[in-house]
Amino acid sequence: MKDVYIFAIESSCDETSAAIIKNGKDVVSLTINTQIKTHENYGGVVPEIASRMHTEAITYVIDDCIKKSGMTFEDMDAIAVTYTPGLLGSLLVGIEAAKVLALTYNKPLIAVNHIAGHIYANNLEDNNIVFPSLGLVVSGGHTEIIYLEDDYNFKILGSTLDDAIGEAYDKVARVLDLKYPGGPNIEKLAKEGQPTYKLPIPMNDESLNLSFSGLKSSIINLVHNETQRGNEINRADLACSFQTIAVDELTRKVELAIKKYNPKNMIVAGGVSANTYLREEIAKVCDKYNINLSIPKMLYCTDNAAMIGAAAYPLFKRGEFASFDLNGISTGNIFKF
């Protein structure tokens, strides 16, 4: 069987990335240009600045990726690109670049859902998704417990009713005067503290839904009230208390899902899967129930084009190609492909 090489582009938020993926698994080449240093000055991603920086970086990123591979665009079997969800202006930069490449080199165009990319990052290198699997999607905009029956056949078992876990991390980080991105900085600070603050347990029920807005609000109110009283906040302890409860809630709901659906395999996907404490706690639950666990390498947890190439491979095999009127969709549903 002929090897399939997919050139992929990711530009949904604040990373401009290009990659060449062989057979949906092997990373031939990967280039990532991050905007974090710029956006940390504003406490979060500024959409207009992000799209302009993508425009400035896209040609360099594409050229660098292809040069590092020693291949040419004639060697590619398809061009893949993130089209949803994400910042619309940022998505359009990658989409238009992908269209130009596909038209110029007469290659099929594949439209990839960004969250599907995070899921299929579990197929990169020595990782492998085994179907069926239970899945935990954790990112800045998504928190879902899902059942993966087969390729692109996913069912939501439970989801956040308000804030996503990554969103909660970012908002709590602002209250603690930590730089963007909030997740890594809270995790780093939490390692210096103890979970001494008594905080509410979110969604303390037997459903598989989640909620983090109450936990976030309680921290905002706690910091405000203590500041008004002139009391000092132990930032490390508060960061540790927040992370402990937030991750405990995720693992508790995962354990409920395991008891209900009795899976043999599990994957974790999304940017928050880079959190070391979460990885350790989920691993403990999977060990307890003798479940195979797949979590992407750290490099492939955050936004990157390698995961887009991996997610494009099943679509390539099905012949599911996009037309050249492809547009960006800012709030696309990951379960409607």
Side-chain angles (χ1 to χ4, degrees):
M1 183 178 176
K2 179 183 178 296
D3 289 328
V4 174
Y5 293 90
I6 296 176
F7 188 90
I9 297 173
E10 154 64 24
S11 66
S12 64
C13 190
D14 58 348
E15 268 83 32
T16 315
S17 181
I20 298 171
I21 304 301
K22 175 185 173 183
N23 298 332
K25 188 170 185 66
D26 299 323
V27 182
V28 177
S29 180
L30 172 63
T31 298
I32 303 173
N33 183 75
T34 183
Q35 304 174 7
I36 286 177
K37 286 295 182 183
T38 297
H39 294 293
E40 72 179 14
N41 295 320
Y42 304 96
V45 178
V46 181
E48 177 63 23
I49 293 175
S51 60
R52 289 181 184 226
M53 293 186 73
H54 283 304
T55 303
E56 294 171 358
I58 190 70
T59 301
Y60 159 76
V61 167
I62 290 171
D63 286 348
D64 184 68
C65 180
I66 202 75
K67 286 175 182 175
K68 287 193 298 189
S69 72
M71 302 178 74
T72 69
F73 284 108
E74 284 81 0
D75 299 321
M76 302 299 118
D77 293 284
I79 307 296
V81 65
T82 306
Y83 81 102
T84 190
L87 302 173
L88 186 56
S90 296
L91 289 168
L92 289 174
V93 174
I95 290 170
E96 295 309 309
K99 286 180 183 179
V100 169
L101 291 174
L103 279 167
T104 301
Y105 295 99
N106 193 29
K107 304 295 180 180
L109 180 67
I110 303 175
V112 176
N113 184 292
H114 178 79
I115 301 302
H118 280 301
I119 291 171
Y120 281 93
N122 283 279
N123 270 346
L124 291 170
E125 296 186 354
D126 55 354
N127 272 20
N128 189 45
I129 299 175
V130 179
F131 297 108
S133 284
L134 185 70
L136 176 65
V137 177
V138 279
S139 70
H142 290 267
T143 305
E144 286 99 6
I145 297 172
I146 63 176
Y147 186 73
L148 298 86
E149 181 67 33
D150 205 344
D151 275 324
Y152 282 93
N153 184 4
F154 311 142
K155 177 185 176 183
I156 295 179
L157 305 180
S159 63
T160 180
L161 302 179
D162 39 64
D163 291 353
I165 182 65
E167 180 183 2
Y169 263 90
D170 284 340
K171 290 178 178 177
V172 170
R174 290 193 198 105
V175 176
L176 297 179
D177 293 323
L178 297 175
K179 288 185 176 181
Y180 170 84
N185 289 317
I186 282 187
E187 182 184 7
K188 181 179 179 181
L189 183 61
K191 291 177 180 177
E192 303 173 9
Q194 297 295 324
T196 57
Y197 284 92
K198 186 174 177 60
L199 299 171
I201 298 174
M203 287 292 290
N204 191 18
D205 62 11
E206 297 301 304
S207 78
L208 296 183
N209 289 324
L210 300 114
S211 170
F212 296 100
S213 67
L215 177 59
K216 169 206 68 183
S217 297
S218 70
I219 292 175
I220 293 173
N221 291 333
L222 186 154
V223 172
H224 173 75
N225 292 336
E226 292 301 294
T227 301
Q228 291 294 98
R229 297 186 184 109
N231 297 331
E232 184 177 350
I233 294 288
N234 186 315
R235 294 163 69 247
D237 284 357
L238 188 52
C240 184
S241 300
F242 161 73
Q243 177 167 263
T244 299
I245 289 180
V247 171
D248 281 358
E249 178 64 2
L250 287 171
T251 54
R252 187 177 75 83
K253 295 289 183 166
V254 165
E255 188 164 4
L256 287 173
I258 289 172
K259 290 178 180 178
K260 185 172 182 179
Y261 293 94
N262 193 31
K264 298 300 181 185
N265 308 289
M266 179 165 184
I267 71 157
V268 182
V272 182
S273 65
N275 184 286
T276 303
Y277 181 63
L278 173 62
R279 295 165 83 97
E280 292 171 351
E281 294 303 302
I282 291 292
K284 289 178 185 177
V285 174
C286 289
D287 287 343
K288 178 179 177 181
Y289 293 93
N290 195 28
I291 293 172
N292 298 315
L293 175 62
S294 174
I295 306 179
K297 291 183 178 180
M298 289 291 189
L299 175 62
Y300 306 126
C301 288
T302 52
D303 292 353
N304 66 89
M307 69 183 194
I308 303 304
Y313 183 63
L315 299 177
F316 177 88
K317 290 193 295 182
R318 294 181 185 184
E320 295 185 15
F321 303 130
S323 63
F324 286 99
D325 62 356
L326 177 67
N327 203 354
I329 302 174
S330 59
T331 57
N333 190 322
I334 71 169
F335 302 102
K336 291 182 181 178
F337 296 105

